[in-house]
């Protein structure tokens, strides 16, 4: 069976309920950006060393969560329960932050390759959040999805700082002038 269906050749795609919508619709933009985030996280995972400090397992769980979120965005009647995962993110952020120097300034995205890739994931996550919020201003979106994505971007920043520290990669503090 070929991967192509030709059903999207006129610029529309099908939702879970069979309804056809423009590939430029807010819903498809949100779904596509969540998918892009998932791919960037896959890239991050591919760059992790043998010693990944437990990040690989968590990032794979996040990828699975993102498939659930994409499904819920494609099928607004599908209910998701992400509050437990969001609480787990908060706990992990707190645990990792305790191992890091305090942050009093913005840092420039960078460090090592993995830390930099996590910064890219963070910015794509922020874009996904903006797309989901734009959709929520026009159509119903579960608030748990927005909260999860918001907290995920915080986690990705913290993971970037953590992996840069573990790999002895310097963070550059942003200062004016």
């Amino acid at each position: 069976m070929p991967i192509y269906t030709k059903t999207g050749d006129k610029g529309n795609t099908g939702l879970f309920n069979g309804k056809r919508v423009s590939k430029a619709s807010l819903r498809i933009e949100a779904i596509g950006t969540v998918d892009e985030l998932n791919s960037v996280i896959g890239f991050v995972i591919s760059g992790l060393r043998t010693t990944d400090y437990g990040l690989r397992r968590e990032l794979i769980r996040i990828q699975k969560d993102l498939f659930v979120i994409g499904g819920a965005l494609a099928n607004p009647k599908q209910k998701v329960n992400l509050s437990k995962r969001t609480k787990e993110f908060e706990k992990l952020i707190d645990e990792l932050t305790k191992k890091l120097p305090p942050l009093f300034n913005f840092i420039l995205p960078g460090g090592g390759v993995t830390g930099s890739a996590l910064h890219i994931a963070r910015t794509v996550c922020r874009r996904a959040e903006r797309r989901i919020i734009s959709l929520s201003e026009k159509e119903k979106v579960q608030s748990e999805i927005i909260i999860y994505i918001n907290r995920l971007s915080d986690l990705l920043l913290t993971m970037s700082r953590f992996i840069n520290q573990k790999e002895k990669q310097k963070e550059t503090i942003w200062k004016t002038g």
Side-chain angles (χ1 to χ4, degrees), residues 57-58 61 83-99 151-152 154-155 158-159:
R57 189 182 87 244
E58 184 57 40
R61 287 184 71 199
S83 58
K84 180 181 176 195
R85 288 291 289 141
T86 301
K87 294 278 187 224
E88 290 172 2
F89 285 177
E90 291 169 355
K91 182 180 177 193
L92 182 54
I93 290 167
D94 293 343
E95 289 171 4
L96 294 176
T97 299
K98 287 177 187 173
K99 300 172 184 176
R151 208 67 79 251
L152 176 57
D154 296 332
L155 177 59
T158 306
M159 284 179 166

Side-chain angles (χ1 to χ4, degrees), residues 17-170:
N17 63 6
K19 180 181 174 187
R20 304 291 299 175
V21 297
S22 167
K23 289 183 178 184
S25 74
L26 291 174
R27 183 166 303 282
I28 299 306
E29 280 289 331
I31 293 166
T33 309
V34 168
D35 185 39
E36 182 182 353
L37 173 59
N38 207 335
S39 294
V40 173
I41 290 173
F43 177 75
V44 171
I45 293 167
S46 74
L48 288 173
R49 297 180 179 169
T50 306
T51 308
D52 65 17
Y53 311 102
L55 297 185
R56 181 183 316 275
R57 189 182 87 244
E58 184 57 40
L59 289 168
I60 291 170
R61 287 184 71 199
I62 290 165
Q63 285 189 297
K64 292 175 182 179
D65 292 344
L66 292 174
F67 266 108
V68 170
I69 289 169
L73 291 171
N75 179 11
K77 292 183 180 183
Q78 177 184 329
K79 299 294 180 211
V80 294
N81 184 356
L82 298 166
S83 58
K84 180 181 176 195
R85 288 291 289 141
T86 301
K87 294 278 187 224
E88 290 172 2
F89 285 177
E90 291 169 355
K91 182 180 177 193
L92 182 54
I93 290 167
D94 293 343
E95 289 171 4
L96 294 176
T97 299
K98 287 177 187 173
K99 300 172 184 176
L100 296 168
L103 188 61
F104 300 108
N105 301 83
F106 288 111
I107 57 171
L108 297 179
V113 173
T114 305
S116 296
L118 281 159
H119 275 292
I120 293 169
R122 174 188 57 81
T123 61
V124 174
C125 187
R126 287 288 192 210
R127 182 160 25 95
E129 181 180 24
R130 292 189 304 272
R131 297 296 187 267
I132 292 166
I133 289 170
S134 292
L135 174 62
S136 75
E137 291 171 350
K138 301 286 184 190
E139 301 180 43
K140 180 75 174 145
V141 172
Q142 294 174 64
S143 62
E144 285 190 43
I145 292 173
I146 296 169
I147 295 166
Y148 175 98
I149 294 291
N150 185 310
R151 208 67 79 251
L152 176 57
S153 66
D154 296 332
L155 177 59
L156 293 169
L157 172 64
T158 306
M159 284 179 166
S160 175
R161 295 191 66 224
F162 176 76
I163 200 76
N164 277 334
Q165 180 188 54
K166 288 295 185 184
E167 294 180 351
K168 297 181 180 14
Q169 299 293 324
K170 187 177 186 291

